[in-house]
């Protein structure tokens, strides 16, 4: 198997069990407001949220708008009157930042790869959430740096995002890098557009 000197690893659903973190964060926020929470509400939220993230990838919305709009739509559907601004910008991100659950074997893979290569986290997530989750996880000592789209000024799959990453890394030969992720539209299409295996 070919060895790469650089691995660009997506965070959510590649290393971190984001679905579990999302569920626990929503449960916490709903409990704080006395709202009932169950699998039906979770599925409604996920459908709304995933559609908004696809819109972000296409450049049709911003991350700032997404954070609030997902709760505007959810609360309209389920009939809650809580403040989507407060929940979307403060309460939910704070709860989500606590969810640094790892997927099976993520730690072992990072430990093994870090012996011969440099590992970076690449994510479209919310900066303060992603940095806290990484900092407090068992992966922290194996990941050299994290590149969040908010700081890059562009999101995966845009080539500009990857140009920013390589500028920060100082790597000119992209054949030395491999991107690993769960999303065909964000990670894999983005990597292909940027000339990354």
């Amino acid at each position: 198997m070919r060895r790469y000197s650089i691995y660009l690893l997506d965070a959510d659903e590649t290393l971190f069990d984001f679905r579990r973190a999302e569920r626990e964060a929503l449960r916490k926020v709903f409990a704080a407001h006395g709202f009932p929470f169950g699998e039906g509400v979770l599925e409604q939220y996920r459908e709304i949220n995933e559609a908004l993230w696809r819109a972000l990838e296409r450049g049709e919305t911003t991350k700032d708008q997404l954070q609030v709009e997902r709760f505007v739509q959810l609360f309209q559907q389920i009939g809650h009157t809580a403040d989507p601004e407060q929940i979307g910008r403060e309460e939910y991100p704070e709860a989500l930042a606590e969810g640094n659950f790892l997927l099976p074997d993520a730690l072992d893979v990072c430990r093994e790869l870090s012996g011969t290569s440099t590992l970076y986290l690449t994510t479209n997530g919310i900066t303060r959430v992603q940095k806290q989750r990484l900092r407090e996880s068992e992966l922290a000592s194996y990941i050299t740096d994290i590149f969040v789209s908010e700081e890059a000024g562009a999101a995966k799959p845009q080539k500009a995002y990857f140009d920013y990453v390589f500028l920060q890394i100082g790597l000119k030969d992209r054949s030395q890098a491999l991107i690993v992720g769960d999303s065909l539209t964000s990670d894999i299409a983005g990597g292909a557009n940027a000339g990354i295996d």
Side-chain angles (χ1 to χ4, degrees):
M1 181 174 105
R2 179 175 174 191
R3 287 282 183 170
Y4 294 87
S5 61
I6 301 287
Y7 285 84
L8 304 177
L9 305 170
D10 176 53
D12 295 325
E13 291 305 298
T14 300
L15 297 177
F16 290 100
D17 186 343
F18 184 76
R19 293 177 75 79
R20 180 178 172 192
E22 179 181 64
R23 179 187 300 108
E24 295 306 316
L26 286 169
R27 186 186 323 277
K28 182 176 182 178
V29 169
F30 273 56
H33 289 272
F35 298 154
F37 179 75
E39 288 300 311
V41 171
L42 178 62
E43 289 309 312
Q44 284 176 281
Y45 171 82
R46 284 182 172 161
E47 186 176 312
I48 293 165
N49 191 48
E50 288 169 12
L52 288 168
W53 278 101
R54 298 294 82 79
L56 177 73
E57 290 173 9
R58 294 188 302 269
E60 298 169 359
T61 190
T62 67
K63 197 178 300 179
D64 190 54
Q65 293 168 330
L66 178 152
Q67 287 181 260
V68 175
E69 182 60 27
R70 57 189 172 187
F71 288 102
V72 168
Q73 292 183 30
L74 179 65
F75 293 163
Q76 285 174 349
Q77 285 185 18
I78 63 178
H80 287 325
T81 57
D83 180 4
E85 184 94 16
Q86 172 67 25
I87 289 174
R89 294 191 196 286
E90 300 300 328
E91 296 176 34
Y92 179 69
E94 286 173 15
L96 191 58
E98 297 170 5
N100 59 17
F101 313 107
L102 298 180
L103 287 170
D105 302 319
L107 182 60
D108 291 337
V109 168
C110 288
R111 185 183 294 124
E112 179 72 22
L113 290 176
S114 70
T116 57
S117 306
T118 306
L119 311 184
Y120 296 97
L121 215 57
T122 60
T123 176
N124 282 344
I126 300 164
T127 301
R128 71 178 193 245
V129 171
Q130 299 296 59
K131 288 191 173 186
Q132 179 178 331
R133 289 171 69 216
L134 175 60
R135 185 174 56 248
E136 295 177 359
S137 80
E138 294 177 274
L139 297 178
S141 62
Y142 303 107
I143 305 294
T144 299
D145 205 349
I146 179 171
F147 299 106
V148 186
S149 59
E150 286 176 38
E151 297 173 335
K156 296 183 288 182
Q158 297 170 352
K159 183 179 178 292
Y161 171 82
F162 294 98
D163 291 343
Y164 169 85
V165 169
F166 283 106
L167 183 65
Q168 299 304 307
I169 293 172
L171 182 70
K172 295 189 186 327
D173 182 5
R174 294 186 183 194
S175 71
Q176 296 301 307
L178 176 74
I179 185 161
V180 179
D182 67 302
S183 171
L184 292 175
T185 58
S186 176
D187 305 309
I188 307 309
N193 290 340
I196 308 165
D197 285 356

